[in-house]
Amino acid sequence: MFSLAVDAMGGDGAPEIVIDGLAISAERHPAARILLIGDEARLLPLLARSQAARAICTVRHAPGIITNEMKGTSALRLRDSSMRLAMDAVAQGEAQGVVSAGNSGALLALAKIVLKTMPGIDRPALSAISPSACGDVVMLDLGANVACDSRNLVEFAVMGEAFARVVLGLPAPTIGLLNVGSEQMKGDDRIRQAADVLRASPLAGQFYGFVEGHDITAGTTDVVVTDGFTGNVALKTGEGALKLAGTLLKQVFNANMMSRLGYVLARPGLDRMREWLDPRRYNGAVLLGLNGVVVKSHGGTDAEGFAHAVDVAMDMVVHNFNDRIRTGIAELGRVAAATAPPASGVGGAATADDATTSLAPTDHAASRLATTG
């Protein structure tokens, strides 16, 4: 079995950036086996110049390429694309995970159709790591599901907790539900129901409660759970705030001779801050809840950023991430079964399947895939 199937043709700088990133990954993961899928005529000459990447890669030809402009429905019909064949390799048991810097919407659509969600998971969630004052924070969902119900939020909490354990190495990560206030009466029925379930679940000791937008950068909790619409807005707002801060700093330090001298004196500290906030360090959003590991690299990243996305995928493969999710969902189902009232008109206790299903409201919002940046 290959460790990962890599879409060599996805991303702005593909396939060159992908090969350079895999050369870095070969140093970090020398035992990895990578199924590199793409245009063989372009990949083989690049690999011939990179002994490190060549040592861990096996090339499989794929004539088709999913462009950034292609819609998800069109991508599903292109069965010979590098992204589709990478997904097929995981579905058929050849590889344990996929890494792609290609079209986000196409990747989400293919992952849901080809790999499908794990048993007990209603919808997958897009998760990523962001910086905070207290260390790294896991956020989900970041755009895979625009509308979510209470059951989805509970499942996101289980998956986010497992993700924080594996990728951040936290033994007992704390969990917060993003809300418009921290008081228990704040928010709609959906988020209050999710909070009630988490307080009665095996994660009760790690559940902090409701958090607000400023708590994300403050690092109040290790995991922040929300629906895909709110999460994507929060993510893009944070990215915009960082860019604004960088622009304003440049203007301040270029204002006059004294400010330029101040920049020289402050440069060591600014370099440390730039390294801490380097977006390449946080590259690699993960689609959680599928029958396989799926990592989305930013399309405009460089080799170092792509290598970090591979790092994330390898962490999840090596530490059996999906097994942790299965365990968490199973424990949640057992607790729900134990606390559920007797089935109406039968006189016996509700089954675990009935109890787990009862977490979701009767009127489900339609599932929708949203393209992320």
Side-chain angles (χ1 to χ4, degrees), residues 204-215:
Q206 297 164 242
F207 181 53
Y208 177 86
F210 296 142
V211 294
E212 299 180 73
H214 61 81
D215 288 307

Side-chain angles (χ1 to χ4, degrees), residues 84-304:
R84 176 60 183 260
L85 294 184
M87 208 71 69
D88 286 343
V90 177
Q92 295 163 8
E94 286 188 274
Q96 294 171 275
V98 176
V99 179
S100 174
N103 184 316
S104 299
L107 186 73
L108 292 171
L110 282 170
K112 289 194 70 174
I113 296 298
V114 177
L115 297 183
K116 300 180 175 56
T117 55
M118 297 167 56
I121 298 293
D122 185 41
R123 300 180 189 175
L126 193 64
S127 177
I129 300 170
S130 62
S132 80
C134 297
D136 293 339
V137 173
V138 172
M139 285 189 63
L140 72 165
D141 179 23
L142 297 178
N145 306 280
V146 172
C148 299
D149 57 31
S150 59
R151 172 186 175 180
N152 300 142
L153 294 175
V154 172
E155 291 174 357
F156 295 170
V158 173
M159 295 189 289
E161 192 269 351
F163 183 67
R165 283 177 180 268
V166 169
V167 178
L168 300 185
L170 301 175
T174 54
I175 304 163
L177 285 174
L178 191 61
N179 201 351
V180 294
S182 57
E183 298 85 358
Q184 290 192 22
M185 72 288 297
K186 289 294 183 69
D188 54 22
D189 291 341
R190 168 188 62 112
I191 195 168
R192 290 198 299 268
Q193 288 170 7
D196 291 340
V197 173
L198 288 172
R199 291 189 187 101
S201 76
L203 296 177
Q206 297 164 242
F207 181 53
Y208 177 86
F210 296 142
V211 294
E212 299 180 73
H214 61 81
D215 288 307
I216 300 173
T217 52
T220 302
T221 60
D222 303 310
V223 180
V224 176
V225 176
T226 186
D227 59 80
F229 183 92
T230 307
N232 193 265
V233 171
L235 175 69
K236 299 297 176 59
T237 302
E239 290 175 349
L242 284 176
K243 290 179 181 179
L244 174 62
T247 300
L248 293 178
L249 280 173
K250 288 180 181 179
Q251 293 177 1
V252 168
F253 285 122
N254 285 319
N256 52 52
M257 186 61 67
M258 289 299 293
S259 62
R260 293 191 187 97
L261 178 60
Y263 170 74
V264 173
L265 297 174
R267 184 170 181 175
L270 291 172
D271 286 343
R272 287 195 297 272
M273 185 177 73
R274 186 182 297 111
E275 181 180 351
W276 182 37
L277 298 177
D278 187 348
R280 298 176 301 177
R281 180 172 173 260
Y282 300 97
N283 187 44
V286 184
L287 196 58
L288 307 177
L290 297 164
N291 292 302
V293 172
V294 179
V295 175
K296 170 66 175 73
S297 168
H298 196 288
T301 193
D302 61 8
E304 183 64 38

Side-chain angles (χ1 to χ4, degrees), residues 9-35:
M9 312 309 293
D12 300 343
E16 291 79 8
I17 291 302
V18 173
I19 301 299
D20 292 343
L22 289 174
I24 298 172
S25 298
E27 300 289 335
R28 300 173 181 172
H29 311 283
R33 295 184 65 227
I34 304 296
L35 179 60

